[in-house]
Amino acid sequence: MVLPRQFYLRPPRTVARDLLGCILVSRIGGTLTAGRIVETEAYLGPEDAASHAAIRPHAAREAFYREGGHAYVYRIYGLHWCLNAITGAAGRPGCVLIRALEPVAGLRAMARRRGGSPEVRRLTSGPAKLTEALAITGRDNGADLTRGRLRIDPPDTPRDFRIAVGPRIGITRAVDLPLRFWVRENPCVSRA
DNA sequence: TAGCTGATTGACT
DNA sequence: GTCAATCAGCTAA
């Protein structure tokens, strides 16, 4: 089971909310690692001053020309990778930043990649932490999330959690828009 | 070409 | 609470 293309061909806000509870699965590096998505942020088009459509138009253009359901992976602060799911039709800017996971499979591999053996809640409780734990890098930019070694599956259990909404984290523009979604009271969320 | 910034994290006071 | 790591892509010139 994998989320179909149609899932991503909707507005970023909707996709961000519906991705909560879904399972991000990585077969990168010969080991299966997976986690339940517990925190996301939506980024819109040029009208959203915090979106890469506005602040990195040239770099993001290639990504946004892809159809929804592809990965947009970029480097931040020169050393970390962040994973986004492109939303909407090809040529329409919009994506969802995957900010935090609850580890589901391959915890030993995650701990090894993260260096040492940190506690479980710290393995994937941040956008750069989860890419490191799942071995996601710039090589995976443009990958099709509906097939291949990096994919997102529907929830494996009923979505019986409560969803919280609030402003996005770590940005300096459009700081007040309520485009961050997370699973309420989940310990793996990057911030309360 | 030079200078600046950032959708972060971890170590430290 | 502060700060460094580290660099692609941006702007200004």
Side-chain angles (χ1 to χ4, degrees):
Chain A
M1 267 269 266
V2 65
L3 287 175
R5 178 78 57 203
Q6 202 68 24
F7 178 93
Y8 299 97
L9 302 183
R10 300 180 296 162
R13 249 175 290 239
T14 311
V15 175
R17 174 180 284 267
D18 287 355
L19 274 176
L20 295 179
C22 295
I23 313 291
L24 177 62
V25 181
S26 163
R27 295 172 193 278
I28 301 166
T31 305
L32 188 147
T33 46
R36 181 172 293 104
I37 297 171
V38 297
E39 182 181 355
T40 60
E41 284 178 358
Y43 286 86
L44 317 180
E47 75 279 10
D48 175 5
S51 167
H52 280 191
I55 62 178
R56 295 179 61 175
H58 300 301
R61 183 169 50 191
E62 180 190 4
F64 288 142
Y65 268 126
R66 299 183 197 279
E67 188 177 37
H70 288 82
Y72 169 40
V73 184
Y74 72 95
R75 212 195 252 287
I76 186 65
Y77 294 113
L79 60 162
H80 299 303
W81 296 104
C82 288
L83 170 67
N84 295 256
I86 299 294
T87 64
R92 295 293 194 90
C95 64
V96 174
L97 172 68
I98 312 295
R99 280 196 60 91
L101 307 174
E102 177 184 317
V104 168
L107 272 67
R108 289 174 65 90
M110 290 188 192
R112 172 164 30 85
R113 290 164 177 164
R114 295 272 298 123
S117 55
E119 50 184 316
V120 172
R121 68 163 54 178
R122 294 177 56 182
L123 287 177
T124 53
S125 57
K129 295 180 187 178
L130 70 90
T131 55
E132 185 174 35
L134 272 59
I136 297 165
T137 68
R139 294 194 322 274
D140 303 295
N141 187 36
D144 187 344
L145 296 172
T146 68
R147 55 186 298 159
R149 56 183 194 162
L150 185 62
R151 50 193 281 175
I152 304 180
D153 295 348
D156 58 351
T157 58
R159 290 163 37 103
D160 58 354
F161 48 80
R162 293 172 60 86
I163 294 176
V165 185
R168 295 172 293 187
I169 288 178
I171 56 175
T172 57
R173 304 170 183 219
V175 294
D176 294 327
L177 298 179
L179 293 177
R180 172 176 177 242
F181 304 89
W182 68 97
V183 174
R184 191 179 293 274
E185 294 176 3
N186 187 292
C188 296
V189 167
S190 65
R191 291 193 215 171

